[in-house]
Amino acid sequence: MFKRFAGFVALAAFTQCLIGCAAVGALLGLAAVGAGTYIYVDGKLQRDYEAPLDRAYEASLEAVQELRLELTEKSKDISEAQIRAKDNETSIWIGLESLEANRTKISVRVGYTGDEQASRRIHEAIARRLGVKGS
């Protein structure tokens, strides 16, 4: 009986350790996203920038121009903005979301299913316009 109880306690302690490690890993991952790393989800490459929405929006428009993309639509309100462009026949969507007064999340999708490399090039152009080093 005691061996069975001791085994149960050891299993419970091991499970708690795994849960704790997963939580720490998740927190570290969130910190990395906040630090300016990219995350690729559902065909969109996302990154947070230390810039207000207005500045990030202008930098995104300048990046579209720098990359010689055809601007097809743009809109902005107080907390978000959208930019649509084309590269030949490939659709490009840039979404901006104000997270805080000086922090904006920018999501880029190239094509209907996403193209991570092309999205990264657009992000790099935006980062250059925002003066972000090591993009």
Side-chain angles (χ1 to χ4, degrees):
M1 178 78 164
F2 179 74
K3 286 182 182 179
R4 184 177 286 178
F5 180 73
F8 177 76
V9 169
L11 180 62
F14 179 71
T15 302
Q16 287 297 322
C17 179
L18 287 178
I19 291 170
C21 290
V24 168
L27 287 174
L28 290 175
L30 289 176
V33 169
T37 59
Y38 298 100
I39 184 168
Y40 191 69
V41 178
D42 295 330
K44 293 185 283 189
L45 189 63
Q46 302 174 348
R47 180 178 177 182
D48 294 355
Y49 291 91
E50 296 297 323
L53 177 65
D54 290 340
R55 189 164 154 240
Y57 179 68
E58 290 303 320
S60 298
L61 288 171
E62 291 170 1
V64 166
Q65 186 176 22
E66 172 188 326
L67 296 170
R68 295 189 175 119
L69 304 173
E70 178 189 345
L71 180 65
T72 59
E73 185 180 330
K74 63 181 183 171
S75 65
K76 184 174 84 60
D77 63 28
I78 195 164
S79 63
E80 62 185 21
Q82 305 280 325
I83 298 170
R84 297 197 190 271
K86 282 193 168 193
D87 184 19
N88 294 321
E89 293 301 312
T90 304
S91 296
I92 299 166
W93 174 82
I94 303 171
L96 298 91
E97 177 186 355
S98 178
L99 301 174
E100 296 174 4
N102 198 35
R103 201 162 124 237
T104 302
K105 178 193 297 184
I106 300 179
S107 303
V108 177
R109 176 181 291 199
V110 176
Y112 291 109
T113 58
D115 180 334
E116 186 174 358
Q117 298 237 336
S119 297
R120 186 173 299 274
R121 284 192 298 275
I122 294 169
H123 265 289
E124 289 169 351
I126 294 169
R128 279 193 303 275
R129 294 294 181 165
L130 289 172
V132 174
K133 302 289 185 214
S135 52

